[in-house]
Amino acid sequence: KLAFKPTAKPADTTTVVRQLPLPSEKLTSYKTDFFTIMIPDNFDVKSPAPGKNVLKSYQFIGERRADCEIRVDVINPGKQKDLKKIADGFKATYNNSNPTSANFAGKNAYMFQYSPIANVLSQVYLTMSGDKLFRVTVNRYTGKGMVTIDDKEYDEAKAYETIFKKSIQSFKFN
């Protein structure tokens, strides 16, 4: 005789992991008072709290990876208009990396490149348009390996690299 009646065993369940989408290859235009950029149509636009001397911040980010974004900060540079001096002043912010001369949206710029965390590359462009300093930050995943979404395999790092390159190339000052 049993001391108690066994309870029925619940039915086996299967957990389905839903993969969030990679950045869309379809780009849509986003226009501000300061610039226009083409972004993946499945990205959100957020307005992070502006930091010191930042007039406005825009964050373009998808739902898949929090470490993959394009961020544009419109900054009041104060009296300093020498872009090289401004860039040198940002060195400590970007792991003491040295800025390299670059071109961004047809303007002279300086670019920092560093890795803030494992498997993420950060590129920061500094340029002037009118009396405003623009800091454009591209953070993207660089890890190795494939991801399967809807029975198709994708190189996740390559997907972000390709679409972010197109977005940055589309940037225009208004």
Side-chain angles (χ1 to χ4, degrees):
K1 212 171 184 185
L2 294 173
F4 63 91
K5 183 177 181 182
T7 56
K9 187 175 180 182
D12 287 342
T13 58
T14 303
T15 301
V16 176
V17 176
R18 183 178 145 249
Q19 290 281 351
L20 295 173
L22 290 168
S24 172
E25 292 181 12
K26 183 179 176 195
L27 298 176
T28 186
S29 181
Y30 185 82
K31 185 175 182 177
T32 73
D33 291 340
F34 308 104
F35 65 91
T36 302
I37 188 172
M38 301 291 288
I39 60 168
D41 69 354
N42 62 345
F43 269 36
D44 292 325
V45 181
K46 299 183 180 185
S47 296
K52 183 180 179 188
N53 297 328
V54 176
L55 303 171
K56 185 78 176 158
S57 289
Y58 304 86
Q59 180 187 36
F60 306 98
I61 190 165
E63 58 182 329
R64 182 175 179 82
R65 298 194 65 95
D67 57 3
C68 293
E69 67 172 344
I70 297 173
R71 181 174 171 144
V72 181
D73 296 310
V74 183
I75 302 170
N76 176 355
K79 294 181 181 181
Q80 183 58 267
K81 304 296 183 210
D82 184 328
L83 188 56
K84 174 70 172 139
K85 287 182 180 176
I86 292 170
D88 286 341
F90 276 99
K91 279 184 182 181
T93 305
Y94 304 116
N95 291 356
N96 288 317
S97 62
N98 286 314
T100 57
S101 190
N103 183 301
F104 185 84
K107 300 202 179 272
N108 291 331
Y110 284 93
M111 193 259 294
F112 292 90
Q113 185 166 295
Y114 70 103
S115 183
I117 59 173
N119 296 322
V120 173
L121 175 69
S122 185
Q123 294 172 305
V124 181
Y125 297 89
L126 296 173
T127 192
M128 298 286 291
S129 182
D131 63 347
K132 307 224 177 357
L133 173 68
F134 286 76
R135 177 176 53 201
V136 180
T137 306
V138 180
N139 293 316
R140 65 178 175 81
Y141 176 70
T142 59
K144 304 286 183 228
M146 303 297 280
V147 62
T148 303
I149 301 174
D150 296 331
D151 298 325
K152 292 183 185 174
E153 287 211 342
Y154 299 91
D155 181 332
E156 188 171 18
K158 189 72 174 165
Y160 279 96
E161 178 183 21
T162 301
I163 203 66
F164 280 8
K165 188 179 283 187
K166 287 179 183 176
S167 287
I168 291 304
Q169 289 171 344
S170 77
F171 193 100
K172 292 181 177 55
F173 293 102
N174 295 339

